[in-house]
Every structure is written in structure tokens, then in C-alpha cells.
Amino acid sequence: MENKEFDGFVMPEARKLPVFLLLDVSTSMGRDSKMDELNRSVREMIDTFRKEQLVQVEICVSIITFGTEVKVHTELAPAKDINYTDMTAKGMTYMGRALDVAYDMIEDRTKVPKNAYRPIVVLVSDGAPNDDHWEDKLIKFTTTGRSSKCDRWSLAIGKDADVSMMKRFLDHPEKEVCFVEDAANIHKFFRFLSSTTIQRSKSANPNQVINEFFTMQDPIDLDFN
Amino acid sequence: MREKDEMRVEEIGYASVRGLLHEKSGLPNQDAYSVKRYKFGTILVVSDGLGSKPFSAHGAKSVGTAVDKAVQIWNGYKEKDIRLLLPLVVSIWNLEIFPYAQKDCCATCLFAIVSNDGYVYLGQLGDGSIYLSLDHELQLLKEKEDDFTNVTVCMGSFTGYADWSLKKIFVGHRPFGMVMMTDGVSETIIEDRREAFIQLLYKRISACENLSERNNFIYQVLSKWNPVNAGDDRTLICYRRR
């Protein structure tokens, strides 16, 4: 057999494991060092992904921020290629629009190819959405299209966070909203998220969301509501 | 396997290799295949056991046995409606996996029956691909959906016969070819290069002298897969009738 004649038929890139971060950057996130801590935590998570020497899986990250303006802060790209710039807090909490932007990105097969592993979508907020029709957009995101099949997590920061809304964002009835009382613990959630993502990427079937993750009992001093 | 039957020559090569992610996790190859030739025709099966299930390797192996036994019963009847084969396959698979539970043995089921009555019967439950080349046309039994949206359809979890893709094709005495593969192969081939890949397989298979050479050739192709896309188990059967 001429060994090289079959080389050109196999995809040269590893399959993607996309991670979408939907991050609240409303004015309230600028208080009590929450935004500073969020920036540090996201940066650390991307660094962790970058350092992992994965061959068969490419962890890709996209960041969508929502204040009054909804912005694709980071286009979906391999973690190793991301040059992270800090987010700043400003404005209202237009989460519904952010869900629409994320929905469209996940539907786009040029960004999330057909052979991508099940994407992870993370919602982080310290408040409640206040744009029009956010509830319809949440229902659309969680019940239709490809986003409805994603592995979805949420982090509520502080007592003003709308935990019941964030519970509706999750993809499994046994999953719980992760809750941190203050900014100092945000990094714990992101370390937990980094760890579960890397575990998935190294598992025999990276599409599989491991059930133990749903019922993990306070693995890193996070509160689950 | 090269058999002459009047004007026909059947050439078949097949192999399966363990994925790198399974090697790292200490898991066995959870794919399986079965190739059987009878007076009434040839039965080809590939199956991919779901990585997360404890006995999926056993489930995948049982798929080959179940299809083989079911076809032999089904073939004894005059009515060759392929839908009537499915309950037999499922029932025998349940017997084969016993005492394990269905949910612990989940596996896909892709089969082809090349019958001497001039028909080819194809069936697929779950991921993977069956390509059939006839009269210079390449047909794909089932178009793939998103990988992460349809991971649960397999033996042991399917909800009805609508989950199956089925086809009956009259080939008569014409030459034709088929390639059956688990998703470790089908989902890692560049989409617009699939036909060229299949044509090259046919060409190389026909150049081999015997079954051992053909199987070794397929094994080499699968073993030398680009490492970045070699995480999953890979199984392929190439069939050609000239």
C-alpha cells in the first residue's frame, strides 16, 4: 500500500469542542470588584485550555457580553489563538439579545461544524434581564435548534441574581444553578468549568455529558441552588 | 473473500481499529463487524458501541450475530419486506445481550444484504454511513445530522422503527460497490472528498490478491488515520462486485 495516498481524505483539524460564555457586563457588575474578578477568571480559564496538550479535540471559546450593548467580545476560536482583552461594565442587562446572538452563532455550521462535539454554553449574571421579550428568547434558546442540545450551565453572582430565570437556562432538570455570594468566589466556578471541559475533551466520548457532573456535591465549595 | 458465482466476482475487505481516546481510557475497541456469505447471499454488518455504556462492546458484537441470525430466518419466507426483518433483529439482539440491560449495551446497527434475488437490502440505525455505488452513481443511505444532536439513537434506546433508514435496491447482475463505516471514519473524512476516497478504496481492493491482503490493506488505511482525527474507533467494510 502506498501509505500517503489516503492522507488527503481525512480532516486535518481536530474536532471542535465549543465553549460559549454569555457574560453580564451591566453596570452592577462593575461594583464590588465583580468585573475584575470575572476578567481574571476567564483569562485563567483560557490559559488552562491553552496549556492542555490535546490532540484529538480543539477547545474553542467565544465570549458574548451583554450590557445595554450586546457584543461578540471574542469570536469562536481555538483557545490557544485567543488574545484576551478585559471587559468593562456598563449599562442595562440585555440578556435576551445576547441569547439571540448566541443562538445564531451556534446555528451557523461554518462556525460550529456538523462534526463538532456538544457545545458548552455558560450564562453568568448578577441580576435579571431587562430587555423586551427576553423570556421568549430564553424559551427559543432552550427549546429549539442546536442550542437546545447544548450542555448549559449558569452562574448567579450575589443575592440580586435571578436564580429562577437561570435555572430555566439549564439543560437538565437535575442540574442546579451555581451560586457565589461575592466576587471572591467567581474563579471557583470557572475552575470547575475548566476542569469539566477538559475531562470531557479527554474522555472516550467527548459528546457525552457525564451524569456525575449534575449531582456533584459541592466539589469546590460552590453553592448549588 | 472473493467468490465467483457465474459472471460475478465478489471482493470484500474489512477491518476495525481502536481509537486513540479509547486506548488512553483503557477501553476496548467498541466497534464490531460481521461478514457472512451464504447460498442466498452475503450479509455485511458494522456496529459502533456507545463509549459511555459499560457493555457496549458486547452490544456491538451482538448486533452482527443478531442480524446474521435474523436474516437467515427472514430469508426463509417469500415476503421480503425489509421492515419485517427489524423485529427479528431487535428480539435476537435482546437475547444475545442477556443478562445485560439494553441501556448498558447501546450500539448502532448498519447492515447490507446482497441477495441472490438481485436485490440489495440496506438498514441503518444510528450514526455511521453506508455508501452504494451503482451505474456510476454514489448513493448515501442516511444523511448525517449534527453529531451532538443525535447521539442517542441506537439499539437499546430507539423509540420506533421510524428511527431506521431502510432501502431496497435492484442491482440485478450489474457490477456495484458498497462501503460501510462507523462514524469514526465517516465523520472524519473531508465531505467533498468522500467519493474520491471510496473510488480509491475500490481500486485498491480490486488490486489485492486475496482476503488477507484486502483486510490488511483496510487495516493499514484505518491505522494510518490522521492522529488528530483518530480518537474514535474506526471500522470499515469495502465490498465490490464486478
Side-chain angles (χ1 to χ4, degrees), chain A residues 175-187:
Chain A
K175 256 187 186 172
E176 298 296 350
V177 176
C178 300
F179 177 81
V180 291
E181 191 68 46
D182 51 40
N185 287 315
I186 291 174
H187 71 278

Side-chain angles (χ1 to χ4, degrees), chain A residues 15-218:
Chain A
R15 292 169 69 175
K16 289 181 180 175
L17 173 52
V19 179
F20 291 91
L21 303 180
L22 277 63
L23 306 178
D24 183 348
V25 294
S26 60
T27 302
S28 60
M29 285 293 291
R31 297 183 198 124
D32 306 322
S33 308
K34 281 182 278 192
M35 188 49 73
D36 293 340
E37 185 61 25
L38 186 59
N39 276 319
R40 262 195 296 277
S41 300
V42 174
R43 191 186 295 278
E44 183 187 76
M45 186 182 77
I46 292 169
D47 282 345
T48 305
F49 290 158
R50 186 182 292 132
K51 284 174 194 158
E52 280 296 322
Q53 300 291 313
L54 301 167
V55 179
Q56 280 87 32
V57 179
E58 179 92 85
I59 300 177
C60 296
V61 179
S62 175
I63 302 169
I64 298 161
T65 57
F66 54 97
T68 299
E69 188 187 7
V70 172
K71 206 166 82 175
V72 179
H73 173 279
T74 303
E75 285 283 1
L76 188 67
K80 64 179 183 323
D81 298 337
I82 293 174
N83 186 15
Y84 184 77
T85 54
D86 280 352
M87 303 171 287
T88 49
K90 190 181 177 187
M92 309 289 278
T93 309
Y94 286 177
M95 191 196 78
R97 292 184 201 175
L99 290 173
D100 270 353
V101 170
Y103 183 94
D104 291 343
M105 281 178 78
I106 294 166
E107 283 294 313
D108 186 344
R109 282 169 171 75
T110 63
K111 289 180 176 154
V112 181
K114 270 180 10 176
N115 74 340
Y117 291 115
R118 185 187 302 273
I120 294 165
V121 190
V122 183
L123 177 65
V124 176
S125 179
D126 70 339
N130 46 27
D131 50 349
D132 293 338
H133 310 299
W134 67 265
E135 200 160 8
D136 296 338
K137 295 170 198 289
L138 178 63
I139 291 168
K140 177 184 164 193
F141 192 89
T142 54
T143 61
T144 69
R146 301 170 103 199
S147 57
S148 66
K149 309 286 183 186
C150 292
D151 179 18
R152 299 191 302 271
W153 294 87
S154 56
L155 173 67
I157 305 169
K159 60 180 173 18
D160 293 333
D162 186 346
V163 174
S164 63
M165 176 277 294
M166 295 177 92
K167 171 83 178 168
R168 291 167 63 191
F169 178 79
L170 304 174
D171 62 292
H172 195 284
E174 289 179 29
K175 256 187 186 172
E176 298 296 350
V177 176
C178 300
F179 177 81
V180 291
E181 191 68 46
D182 51 40
N185 287 315
I186 291 174
H187 71 278
K188 290 182 179 175
F189 171 76
F190 279 90
R191 284 178 188 169
F192 169 69
L193 191 67
S194 304
S195 162
T196 56
T197 304
I198 288 165
Q199 277 187 56
R200 260 188 66 188
S201 68
K202 288 180 173 175
S203 72
N205 178 10
N207 255 337
Q208 191 71 26
V209 178
I210 300 166
N211 286 334
E212 279 75 3
F213 295 159
F214 301 147
T215 52
M216 208 173 230
Q217 293 300 307
D218 207 14

Side-chain angles (χ1 to χ4, degrees), chain B residues 14-196:
Chain B
Y14 43 91
S16 182
V17 300
R18 185 161 65 145
L20 295 176
L21 287 172
H22 286 205
E23 273 181 33
K24 279 182 199 166
S25 310
L27 292 169
N29 184 348
Q30 292 166 327
D31 280 2
Y33 59 80
S34 167
V35 176
K36 295 281 174 69
R37 198 164 193 284
Y38 297 97
K39 281 186 178 174
F40 63 83
T42 303
I43 305 169
L44 313 165
V45 185
V46 298
S47 177
D48 175 2
L50 252 68
S52 57
K53 305 298 178 187
F55 304 111
S56 55
H58 178 58
K61 204 173 170 192
S62 299
V63 167
T65 313
V67 173
D68 179 38
K69 289 181 176 175
V71 171
Q72 291 187 64
I73 297 167
W74 173 78
N75 189 61
Y77 291 84
K78 281 187 179 175
E79 178 53 58
K80 291 283 182 62
D81 187 330
I82 194 171
R83 289 170 297 184
L84 298 174
L85 174 66
L86 304 181
L88 288 171
V89 172
V90 173
S91 296
I92 295 171
W93 183 76
N94 279 320
L95 291 168
E96 289 291 331
I97 62 167
F98 187 83
Y100 302 118
Q102 290 181 358
K103 66 178 175 57
D104 293 333
C105 298
C106 281
T108 64
C109 177
L110 286 74
F111 68 80
I113 306 157
V114 184
S115 174
N116 290 346
D117 64 7
Y119 285 96
V120 174
Y121 302 86
L122 304 176
Q124 178 169 347
L125 178 72
D127 292 341
S129 292
I130 303 178
Y131 288 95
L132 186 137
S133 312
L134 179 67
D135 298 336
H136 307 292
E137 191 191 335
L138 184 68
Q139 303 176 39
L140 173 62
L141 178 63
K142 184 190 171 196
E143 199 58 57
K144 170 80 174 161
E145 297 162 24
D146 290 334
D147 200 51
F148 63 90
T149 59
N150 68 341
V151 286
T152 53
V153 182
C154 59
M155 300 283 282
S157 75
F158 76 99
T159 53
Y161 294 110
D163 289 338
W164 288 81
S165 300
L166 301 167
K167 204 164 197 175
K168 177 183 177 184
I169 303 152
F170 182 71
V171 294
H173 290 288
R174 287 174 290 173
F176 74 98
M178 278 189 299
V179 177
M180 305 167 69
M181 48 184 98
T182 55
D183 69 347
V185 179
S186 60
E187 291 318 301
T188 54
I189 299 174
I190 298 167
E191 204 158 343
D192 60 9
R193 300 225 62 207
R194 287 177 183 178
E195 184 156 6

